[in-house]
Amino acid sequence: IDTTGRSSLVARSLGVHRHQLDVLCGVSAVFESDWPGRTLLVGAAPYGWWYVAPVPPNRTMACLVTDVDVIRTIRALEPRVWSTLASHTSLIGSAVSSGSVANLKVHPCETSTLEYFGGQAWLAAGDAASIFDPLSSAGVHKALASGREAAAAAIGWLDDIASAVNEYGERRRQEFDWYLRRRCAQYSIEQR
């Protein structure tokens, strides 16, 4: 069972291709300050979206998420520019006002999926199978559910149930199609 995350090492070693649907990327910084309310906050901006989240014990992480070409165009990899963008974003700006940005981290977070999710003696689960946009907040649930289902499919395959791998793959395909519909609905909420 391939659980190697976005690298999909097992699937790639078997020649399975990953289809990438976008070029979404995050640029984040962590601050030595406590985020009030200790909850995740998401805010839209004309060039993408931001989220701020508490990081135990008393730190805050802020992240700009947008397409790679937009990151380059607005120069969001430059700490001073990143801080200025964040500080001009309603609701998010207060999270970064108390800290200076020294180190930015880049996080690929593109939507992608394997061309198929299993074959002779192998299955892909979690991010090794497909990657959802972080706005979906579905990553942990998807990883646990697909891991459980991959284990059941592997047992079925070992018990000579010929359809076990195909049925598992069909469930992953349906899950990814459902996610794409939900992603479209979520992004269409912002009408600017």
Side-chain angles (χ1 to χ4, degrees):
I1 299 176
D2 186 348
T3 57
T4 59
R6 74 182 340 91
S7 63
S8 304
L9 293 175
V10 174
R12 283 189 325 148
S13 73
L14 295 169
V16 180
H17 297 287
R18 179 174 286 281
H19 299 289
Q20 188 170 323
L21 281 70
D22 59 41
V23 289
L24 206 58
C25 191
V27 182
S28 70
V30 175
F31 301 92
E32 298 295 331
S33 65
D34 205 7
W35 175 240
R38 310 290 299 157
T39 59
L40 174 72
L41 179 64
V42 177
Y47 45 80
W49 53 274
W50 289 85
Y51 70 91
V52 178
V55 178
N58 295 320
R59 298 183 310 165
T60 300
M61 193 262 308
C63 186
L64 164 63
V65 182
T66 189
D67 289 342
V68 171
D69 60 325
V70 174
I71 289 171
R72 287 187 193 111
T73 300
I74 64 175
R75 300 183 358 247
L77 292 175
E78 298 174 27
R80 186 172 300 178
V81 173
W82 185 95
S83 294
T84 300
L85 291 168
S87 68
H88 290 123
T89 304
S90 64
L91 301 176
I92 305 295
S94 62
V96 298
S97 62
S98 62
S100 62
V101 176
N103 296 315
L104 293 172
K105 294 193 187 304
V106 177
H107 315 272
C109 47
E110 75 287 347
T111 296
S112 64
T113 184
L114 291 179
E115 59 186 328
Y116 50 94
F117 304 102
Q120 184 64 29
W122 77 276
L123 296 166
D127 283 355
S130 62
I131 299 171
F132 291 3
D133 180 326
L135 192 58
S136 72
S137 297
V140 173
H141 177 266
K142 177 176 69 79
L144 294 171
S146 67
R148 183 181 62 241
E149 289 182 34
I155 290 169
W157 182 79
L158 291 170
D159 287 342
D160 289 327
I161 300 172
S163 63
V165 172
N166 289 339
E167 289 171 3
Y168 171 80
E170 181 56 30
R171 284 191 301 278
R172 297 287 68 75
R173 178 66 51 216
Q174 290 171 359
E175 173 187 60
F176 193 73
D177 291 344
W178 173 86
Y179 153 73
L180 289 177
R181 289 190 302 276
R182 295 298 310 139
R183 180 181 80 154
C184 183
Q186 185 68 38
Y187 275 97
S188 69
I189 291 171
E190 177 56 62
Q191 294 296 310
R192 283 182 289 183

